[in-house]
Amino acid sequence: MRLCRYNDDELGLVLGDQLFDATAALESLPPLTWPIPHGDHLIANLDALRPAIEHAAGDSHPVPVGSVVLKSPVANPSKIIGAPVNYHKHMEEARADAEINLGRDIKTIDTYGLFMKANSSLVGPGEGVALRFDDRRNDHEVELAVIIGEGGSDIAEADAMGHICAYSIGLDMTVRGTEDRSLRKGIDTYSVLGPWLVTADEIDDPGHLDFEIRVNDEVRQKSNTEHLIFDIPRLIAYASSFMTLYPGDVIMTGTPEGVGPVVPGDTMHAWIDQVGEMSVPVRAHK
Ligand code: MN
């Protein structure tokens, strides 16, 4: 099942290039009272809601998916987790590029662990990226994004795949500099998720997915998730050894070689096999 959030927070079921309005299914969500639980309410109830989504979509007339404004398919993650230097060739390019390493010795995820991106940085492709600090280099990073379904703490690697609800394309936008990653990657609009979520049952093997990103018409990054240093089960096990994962938590699994700058006016076009593709416009914050 491919689900998107679009326009005025409507819910869409995507079939091919057509979008079916399934917003009526949201009326079947259980009511919430304060304090609301951690996590995304739709993702937490997605399995139970599937029949209502299919019913609502069946009653609607489709529109081209290209005719709507796509927002992040996860509205309220309790956290967005990033994986630093999780591809060896990205480590090599970071070591060779002084504008990335700024004099620091670059190591891999084995040394750094994970980092957090601010939840308020999350947007969908239709909202675009608004660059800040135009005197500094702002880079794209395309990544497979994992969306947690069933939460948990101390999840074993052997059980980790059962905790995944869905996959999306993630862009871990970054301003280069000396500040902590959580700040440089936590800027408003610097986490893009889209174009929709694809439930885990539709992905044959997330550990072997081709993906790429073009900026305007130039291919910048092109790799396969088989080159991850910490693979998906290890990322989930490792993250949950520190913190409880909740439904809707997003793990951006890391970026391969080829990161590079974008400037206002550029269009990023990202694609992941079996997940989809999305165009994301870049503008200036002000
Ligand atoms: Mn990244």
Side-chain angles (χ1 to χ4, degrees):
M1 180 176 275
R2 297 180 169 211
L3 291 175
C4 68
R5 181 165 64 110
Y6 67 101
N7 293 353
D8 297 320
D9 294 320
E10 288 146 280
L11 180 68
L13 178 67
V14 178
L15 293 172
D17 60 359
Q18 299 291 300
L19 181 153
F20 295 78
D21 182 7
T23 310
L26 298 174
E27 294 167 12
S28 301
L29 284 172
L32 286 175
T33 56
W34 185 90
I36 61 170
H38 287 307
D40 185 273
H41 195 43
L42 174 60
I43 301 296
N45 292 279
L46 188 56
D47 282 343
L49 217 63
R50 274 187 179 228
I53 291 170
E54 286 168 353
H55 182 80
D59 285 344
S60 75
H61 294 288
V63 298
V65 69
S67 68
V68 304
V69 177
L70 291 167
K71 296 182 171 178
S72 165
V74 181
N76 300 108
S78 85
K79 49 193 167 292
I80 304 168
I81 299 170
V85 199
N86 201 18
Y87 286 82
H88 282 294
K89 286 185 179 175
H90 175 52
M91 178 191 70
E92 291 166 10
E93 76 176 348
R95 283 181 170 173
D97 187 340
E99 291 182 3
I100 295 178
N101 65 52
L102 296 159
R104 296 166 298 196
D105 181 24
I106 302 293
K107 298 186 173 69
T108 68
I109 189 169
D110 298 271
T111 298
Y112 299 127
L114 301 168
F115 65 91
M116 312 299 294
K117 290 170 70 78
N119 291 356
S120 48
S121 68
L122 185 61
V123 294
E127 296 164 294
V129 171
L131 298 183
R132 302 198 188 200
F133 309 107
D134 59 6
D135 56 334
R136 293 163 60 173
R137 187 170 136 185
N138 279 278
D139 281 9
H140 56 79
E141 297 189 354
V142 64
E143 321 198 348
L144 178 67
V146 172
I147 300 166
I148 296 296
E150 182 191 347
S153 177
D154 292 323
I155 297 167
E157 280 190 42
D159 299 330
M161 299 306 285
H163 287 261
I164 298 173
C165 165
Y167 300 90
S168 285
I169 305 172
L171 300 185
D172 174 20
M173 301 301 298
T174 304
V175 63
R176 299 296 170 193
T178 56
E179 300 91 343
D180 191 85
R181 282 185 178 85
S182 62
L183 199 59
R184 293 186 290 106
K185 294 166 171 278
I187 298 169
D188 288 359
T189 76
Y190 276 42
S191 299
V192 186
L193 197 67
W196 38 69
L197 64 79
V198 180
T199 51
D201 54 292
E202 294 203 6
I203 305 293
D204 299 332
D205 180 359
H208 291 86
L209 292 176
D210 284 324
F211 64 105
E212 71 169 38
I213 187 169
R214 287 184 276 124
V215 176
N216 305 325
D217 284 323
E218 178 191 0
V219 176
R220 293 277 187 88
Q221 296 181 271
K222 186 178 181 64
S223 190
N224 186 291
T225 54
E226 69 189 4
H227 300 301
L228 284 166
I229 297 173
F230 278 19
D231 65 9
I232 294 167
R234 189 169 177 192
L235 286 169
I236 292 171
Y238 184 81
S240 71
S241 74
F242 286 82
M243 56 191 82
T244 300
L245 301 180
Y246 292 95
D249 280 1
V250 176
I251 302 176
M252 293 200 179
T253 56
T255 204
E257 71 279 13
V259 302
V262 291
V263 296
D266 284 346
T267 299
M268 300 180 285
H269 192 88
W271 166 83
I272 299 182
D273 182 30
Q274 299 179 49
V275 175
E277 57 189 308
M278 62 182 188
S279 288
V280 183
V282 179
R283 66 183 187 279
H285 170 59
K286 59 183 178 184

